[in-house]
Amino acid sequence: MAKYTYDSIMSELKSGVFRPVYYLMGEEGYFTDRITGYIIENALTELERDFNLTVFYGGETDIDTVINTAKRFPMMAERQVVVVKEAQALKSIDSLVFYLQNPQPTTVLVFAHKNGSIDKRKKVATELDRNGVVLDTKKYRDEALPGFITRCLREKGLTADMKSVHMLRESIGADLARIAGEIDKLAISLPQGTSAITPEGTSQRRLTK
């Protein structure tokens, strides 16, 4: 399973390619949230979202309702988006098999499965792998966190030497969502025209947090 990576999925989405089914799961919910949020914000315009965005929660709905919604046609739009958050709580997921064999091409159906993965021995997992976009993330290793921090900084147009990166790592911890959030705050707090993170600035931020 999981031929796709976070980067490959985001690259497709940013190029305007939205596929009929996404199943996002694994140990790093940060990536599930990022992809889900991007689809919600970018697959539809603000006006289209009023009629063509449906968000379910796995513990509050059932698979038949999700499938029936996914089979609908969009209203005055190219597509509709159906999102199932907390999909790990959705019962009878095996019933999705028949939908996966012939998904509605004008629907973007997103399952956001947190804190674990679907049982890969199930037929539904095989069909997801065959006809959907599957992301199964693993927990970020400590040695990979500096690279993640550097990447988040780069996305904000910031740079930092490795000493500053390691200081940020020690200060913030290993939670990816928290790392990204703190870097967002750091970007806002920097003086205008400043893009370089220095050890001195990082140390000062730690003291004043």
Side-chain angles (χ1 to χ4, degrees):
M1 291 188 72
K3 302 182 294 290
Y4 293 87
T5 65
Y6 170 76
D7 287 333
S8 68
I9 293 171
M10 288 300 296
S11 178
E12 273 199 350
L13 294 175
K14 289 178 179 179
S15 68
V17 176
F18 295 90
R19 297 189 181 271
V21 181
Y22 294 83
Y23 203 96
L24 313 172
M25 59 185 179
E27 298 172 332
E28 286 292 0
Y30 168 79
F31 296 110
T32 292
D33 290 341
R34 284 289 297 257
I35 294 171
T36 303
Y38 188 91
I39 291 172
I40 289 173
E41 291 296 321
N42 295 276
L44 302 167
T45 67
E46 186 175 355
L47 289 176
E48 289 172 344
R49 284 197 289 273
D50 289 340
F51 298 102
N52 297 286
L53 172 63
T54 306
V55 178
F56 296 109
Y57 286 84
E60 301 173 2
T61 189
D62 58 80
I63 191 63
D64 289 337
T65 300
V66 172
I67 292 171
N68 289 335
T69 304
K71 287 180 176 178
R72 294 187 320 204
F73 290 97
M75 294 180 61
M76 298 177 290
E78 180 182 350
R79 61 177 70 92
Q80 69 158 338
V81 175
V82 180
V83 175
V84 184
K85 296 187 176 182
E86 300 173 9
Q88 70 278 5
L90 189 62
K91 292 182 173 60
S92 303
I93 188 70
D94 291 345
S95 298
L96 185 64
V97 167
F98 301 104
Y99 178 82
L100 290 170
Q101 292 170 350
N102 188 28
Q104 171 63 268
T106 55
T107 293
V108 181
L109 176 57
V110 182
F111 293 90
H113 181 134
K114 291 290 196 68
N115 304 317
S117 301
I118 196 169
D119 187 341
K120 298 176 180 64
R121 297 168 297 179
K122 291 178 174 286
K123 186 175 180 180
V124 66
T126 302
E127 289 299 332
L128 280 166
D129 197 35
R130 183 179 293 128
N131 295 315
V133 173
V134 178
L135 178 69
D136 189 3
T137 58
K138 305 303 179 186
K139 193 71 178 173
Y140 246 56
R141 302 183 307 276
D142 283 348
E143 59 268 27
L145 289 171
F148 177 78
I149 292 171
T150 300
R151 171 180 173 161
C152 288
L153 290 168
R154 187 169 58 246
E155 288 176 354
K156 293 294 178 182
L158 304 176
T159 61
D161 58 27
M162 287 311 297
K163 182 177 180 180
S164 299
V165 168
H166 284 290
M167 289 175 71
L168 285 168
R169 159 71 181 89
E170 292 172 7
S171 175
I172 299 172
D175 184 285
L176 300 191
R178 184 168 177 236
I179 290 171
E182 289 298 320
I183 289 174
D184 286 345
K185 295 176 188 176
L186 182 60
I188 293 170
S189 68
L190 285 173
Q192 188 173 4
T194 301
S195 61
I197 308 299
T198 64
E200 294 76 19
T202 302
S203 178
Q204 181 67 19
R205 177 168 175 76
R206 290 175 68 187
L207 291 171
T208 58
K209 246 175 56 169

